[in-house]
Amino acid sequence: MKTPIKDYLSEIVESVRPDESGEVADYIPTLAEANPDRLALAMTTVSGRTYTAGDTDTEFTIQSMSKPFAYAAAITEHGKDKIDSIVGTEPSGEAFNELSLEQGTHRPKNPMINVGALAINQFVCQPGANWKTRTKHMVELLSTLAGRKLRVDYDAYESEMDSAHRNMSIAHMLAAYGFIETTPHDAVRGYTAQCSVLVNTRDVAMMTAVLANGGVNPVTNQTVLGRSVVRRVLSVMAIAGMYDEAGEWFTEVGIPAKSGVAGGLLGALPGQAGLAAFSPRLNDHGNSVRSIAIFRKLSEDLGLHLMDADAIGSRALRGTRVSNGRSIIEIQGPVNFTAAEIVLNRLATSTPSESEVVFDVSRVGVVNPVGRTLILEAMRRLSHEGKEILFYDPEGVLPNPDMGEGLLPVILQDAP
């Protein structure tokens, strides 16, 4: 059976493709040359599976999507208390390139805006390290998160440095308040190199899946970041990751997210998945128009708003077995998107060879609408592959199991 998730992601990509509103970032020469029609979406689950649609192999510079990971590196290296003395955790309500400082302390308001990120870049590794050392450390961290070796696009770096006048002025102001340990020029060079790392949408989805998985790479099972560090990073992303659009974003979409002016957008659903989209045209807030539209659809269609209180079904598949010539799929616990995806993946990677397939949901407590849709779609696809579908649901947790197209499973009265 072919899993329907990739088909669904492709449908979302195509649904937003006609939107040509917004403009590419023209204040950075290399970004101004970007193909505005590029469009991509990737999802990596905490089970380590990646689903993609669109131009997912197209590389672009990570830009401000690097900020959550730099913040994580700084906390890991120096501890929360030290980093709290450098940068705050409050939303600024201002544009990403404003000099947003707290009154009294003069700390940057948060690490997701440029002034905060410039300060944070000073602390991504050992104290006093120069920009080349800090860049090497960040590239290594981002590579570990992505699961492949990444590199800095030095053409993009030079292009950005040529027009980095505003960031340079911000760095001088930070130095005046004692938040720059090297020099303003060194600070801007380190931050700009950090933003110039080349990634594709697959990379970003995997990096974000590490955040969604509590700091553990879901493919290698390597612990990359501490759980408490991840919790803090995701919290700040939730309140400040989308700049002066953050309040509306979290209210409407509800996914901790971070954007980049190259057109990238990442989001992490704790315990579920890492998401990434890419489309170069930006709105007035500096966020990708079509990437935002993609995330809105994902949130609404899949019930991904963080404030939705569905339980997470990470152990949904109790097991599969063969009995009396039938393949029996035993599902348990609450069934939401994550739970259903686990079942779908098993069926996609190991399609039953028996002609009769039984879906046993006798140990399922609750099925949310997305879980229901995906399980019924799996049944429909197996039916189209010539399987006879049988259904055992003694408690009626999935009533009226209509697979669509007039297809209904055979209802079993006795346990298979």
Side-chain angles (χ1 to χ4, degrees):
M1 186 198 84
K2 178 184 176 183
T3 176
I5 294 175
K6 182 174 176 59
D7 296 341
Y8 166 70
L9 297 187
S10 296
E11 289 176 8
I12 284 193
V13 165
E14 294 310 314
S15 73
V16 305
R17 191 178 294 279
D19 187 349
E20 296 184 355
S21 61
E23 302 290 340
V24 298
D26 58 3
Y27 57 91
I28 299 173
T30 54
L31 297 187
E33 298 169 359
N35 181 346
D37 295 324
R38 293 294 189 189
L39 180 60
L41 169 60
M43 169 192 290
T44 298
T45 70
V46 295
S47 300
R49 288 178 288 278
T50 297
Y51 303 92
T52 63
D55 304 313
T56 48
D57 292 326
T58 297
E59 289 191 320
F60 53 95
T61 50
I62 191 169
Q63 298 296 332
S64 289
M65 291 191 299
S66 64
K67 291 173 181 175
F69 305 110
Y71 185 46
I75 297 172
T76 300
E77 185 72 28
H78 298 278
K80 180 183 77 68
D81 292 343
K82 172 64 176 178
I83 299 307
D84 279 351
S85 72
I86 301 300
V87 65
T89 56
E90 295 296 328
S92 70
E94 296 179 312
F96 67 92
N97 58 358
E98 289 294 325
L99 185 63
S100 300
L101 303 178
E102 293 179 348
Q103 292 185 354
T105 67
H106 302 299
R107 292 186 308 173
K109 288 188 176 179
N110 67 70
M112 301 296 141
I113 52 179
N114 286 11
V115 61
L118 280 161
I120 285 296
N121 180 265
Q122 294 278 290
F123 296 91
V124 296
C125 56
Q126 67 268 28
N130 64 28
W131 75 274
K132 290 184 177 180
T133 300
R134 299 196 307 275
T135 299
K136 181 176 182 291
H137 184 84
M138 281 303 302
V139 171
E140 289 174 351
L141 172 61
L142 295 174
S143 297
T144 301
L145 290 161
R148 75 177 182 101
K149 189 174 182 179
L150 304 177
R151 64 182 179 87
V152 174
D153 181 347
Y154 278 102
D155 289 337
Y157 163 80
E158 294 293 347
S159 176
E160 292 197 40
M161 285 299 298
D162 287 343
S163 57
H165 309 300
R166 190 176 187 91
N167 281 344
M168 198 68 73
S169 67
I170 290 174
H172 277 284
M173 185 62 71
L174 285 171
Y177 287 124
F179 292 112
I180 297 296
E181 295 204 342
T182 55
T183 67
H185 191 261
D186 177 272
V188 174
R189 293 181 79 174
Y191 170 66
T192 304
Q194 167 192 309
C195 291
S196 300
V197 174
L198 281 172
V199 292
N200 60 38
T201 322
R202 292 174 183 268
D203 297 328
V204 179
M206 181 61 71
M207 293 159 66
T208 314
V210 175
L211 298 180
N213 200 35
V216 178
N217 185 300
V219 173
T220 66
N221 208 34
Q222 176 186 359
T223 298
V224 184
L225 299 169
R227 183 171 291 272
S228 63
V229 173
V230 169
R231 183 174 63 243
R232 192 168 186 83
V233 169
L234 290 177
S235 298
V236 176
M237 284 170 59
I239 63 173
M242 299 296 283
Y243 307 130
D244 48 336
E245 201 173 6
E248 178 184 355
W249 170 267
F250 199 72
T251 301
E252 297 294 328
V253 182
I255 299 175
K258 187 71 199 77
S259 60
V261 294
L265 178 61
L266 62 78
L269 264 297
Q272 297 196 64
L275 308 170
F278 170 63
S279 178
R281 293 190 184 94
L282 310 179
N283 63 16
D284 292 339
H285 301 281
N287 299 321
S288 170
V289 173
R290 293 193 295 190
S291 294
I292 285 176
I294 285 173
F295 269 62
R296 284 182 179 274
K297 287 180 177 291
L298 286 170
S299 177
E300 181 177 351
D301 291 354
L302 301 183
L304 299 183
H305 197 296
L306 198 61
M307 296 300 108
D308 286 341
D310 291 333
I312 305 301
S314 60
R315 298 184 181 273
L317 188 62
R318 185 171 188 267
T320 61
R321 59 187 173 89
V322 176
S323 177
N324 297 323
R326 295 170 171 172
S327 180
I328 301 171
I329 313 300
E330 297 178 321
I331 305 172
Q332 65 181 5
V335 178
N336 58 4
F337 168 76
T338 303
E341 186 273 338
I342 290 170
V343 176
L344 293 172
N345 180 71
R346 173 63 69 87
L347 293 172
T349 57
S350 183
T351 301
S353 59
E354 291 72 28
S355 61
E356 295 183 347
V357 180
V358 179
F359 282 76
D360 179 355
V361 296
S362 60
R363 294 178 178 84
V364 171
V366 63
V367 182
N368 80 359
V370 174
R372 173 188 172 89
T373 298
L374 291 175
I375 294 298
L376 290 176
E377 176 65 6
M379 294 163 62
R380 185 187 72 83
R381 292 194 177 205
L382 287 173
S383 177
H384 275 287
E385 293 179 8
K387 308 295 184 183
E388 183 175 11
I389 307 301
L390 300 92
F391 194 62
Y392 182 58
D393 181 16
E395 300 300 322
V397 296
L398 206 157
N400 186 29
D402 186 348
M403 297 181 284
E405 303 173 347
L407 297 173
L408 292 170
V410 175
I411 304 299
L412 296 179
Q413 300 301 322
D414 298 318

